[in-house]
Amino acid sequence: MSAEYEPEQPTGADAPCGQGIPAGLLEEAAGVRAALEAVLMVIDEPVTEEQLAAVVGLPAATIRDQLHELAREYDGYTREGDAIPVRGFELRQLAGGWRVYSRPAYADIVSQFVVDGQTARLTQAALETLAVIAYRQPVSRARVSAIRGVNVDSVVRTLAQRGLIEEVGTDPVSGAFLYRTTAYFLERLGIGSVDELPQIAQHLPGLENLHEIENALQ
């Protein structure tokens, strides 16, 4: 294993999460990039090189090099300069971190997919998450997850894509994004403000009256 990709071996509380990765997985640059891709595929906010370095267990400089290599690969180039097919997504560095985005050239197709998806019924998971946000707003994804007892990242993305919720600043303590319902949400429910919502907040997280919201959103 080359020294460039050899993880440090701290012990105890200082050991990074990457030390739990199966032996041999990060012995080559390709393995490092694969590990980074695995993380990039599940985040919905830019992640810093330092965060990735802590998870993978490699120096931040190595992570930075591999992120740039991934970005070039997605754009249709290799380290050797060979041309390869361009991906439908790209890796961007912005807001102090890295995240995968769909490529602008396919914006019309992605937009059509999102619009078509808005005609589908909301799932029970989406309705429950929307209800929690409506009654607890502004609220972070972590708080919603704690109330529902499950991860809500993908559901929050769906609700945001459908225009029912939106980001509204960050939590002053944790820095997490906060979410609230939108004017479109009020429009679909036929009310002027969230103050007109049925008084079921005291029942959360039971969410017994979700059928009222479901019927209004159809």
Side-chain angles (χ1 to χ4, degrees):
M1 178 167 59
S2 65
E4 181 182 2
Y5 299 106
E6 183 174 1
E8 299 176 359
Q9 300 295 329
T11 59
D14 295 329
C17 297
Q19 295 303 315
I21 296 175
L25 192 60
L26 301 180
E27 291 186 354
E28 302 294 339
V32 177
R33 292 196 293 273
L36 294 176
E37 285 181 315
V39 176
L40 292 168
M41 289 298 105
V42 299
I43 63 171
D44 58 2
E45 298 173 6
V47 61
T48 67
E49 295 162 1
E50 289 73 22
Q51 288 174 309
L52 290 170
V55 170
V56 177
L58 294 173
T62 298
I63 299 302
R64 185 180 308 113
D65 290 343
Q66 295 309 308
L67 287 169
H68 282 290
E69 285 298 319
L70 275 177
R72 283 178 51 81
E73 179 181 328
Y74 297 160
D75 288 340
Y77 300 96
T78 66
R79 179 186 290 270
E80 293 75 20
D82 299 328
I84 56 178
V86 176
R87 304 291 184 85
F89 50 87
E90 61 185 8
L91 181 58
R92 302 182 199 166
Q93 182 180 21
L94 74 168
W98 295 78
R99 185 182 173 189
V100 172
Y101 295 85
S102 58
R103 199 169 291 278
Y106 304 102
D108 290 343
I109 296 176
V110 174
S111 296
Q112 186 61 50
F113 174 80
V114 173
V115 170
D116 289 346
Q118 291 185 14
T119 62
R121 292 169 59 91
L122 289 177
T123 64
Q124 183 71 15
L127 286 168
E128 292 179 3
T129 300
L130 181 58
V132 173
I133 294 174
Y135 283 98
R136 302 299 191 191
Q137 60 185 309
V139 63
S140 68
R141 290 195 318 277
R143 178 58 177 164
V144 178
S145 294
I147 292 174
R148 291 204 55 230
V150 295
N151 185 288
V152 299
D153 289 354
S154 62
V155 178
V156 167
R157 285 197 295 271
T158 297
L159 293 174
Q161 289 172 347
R162 296 182 67 163
L164 295 169
I165 63 171
E166 63 186 357
E167 292 179 3
V168 56
T170 57
D171 184 281
V173 177
S174 66
F177 286 113
L178 299 176
Y179 293 88
R180 67 180 179 190
T181 53
T182 63
Y184 177 65
F185 167 81
L186 299 176
E187 176 186 339
R188 294 303 302 271
L189 287 182
I191 59 178
S193 74
V194 293
D195 294 333
E196 299 178 39
L197 287 170
Q199 297 303 305
I200 64 171
Q202 65 270 25
H203 300 303
L204 292 176
L207 306 171
E208 291 81 357
N209 296 334
L210 277 177
H211 64 278
E212 298 178 11
I213 298 178
E214 180 177 22
N215 292 335
L217 289 172
Q218 302 310 316

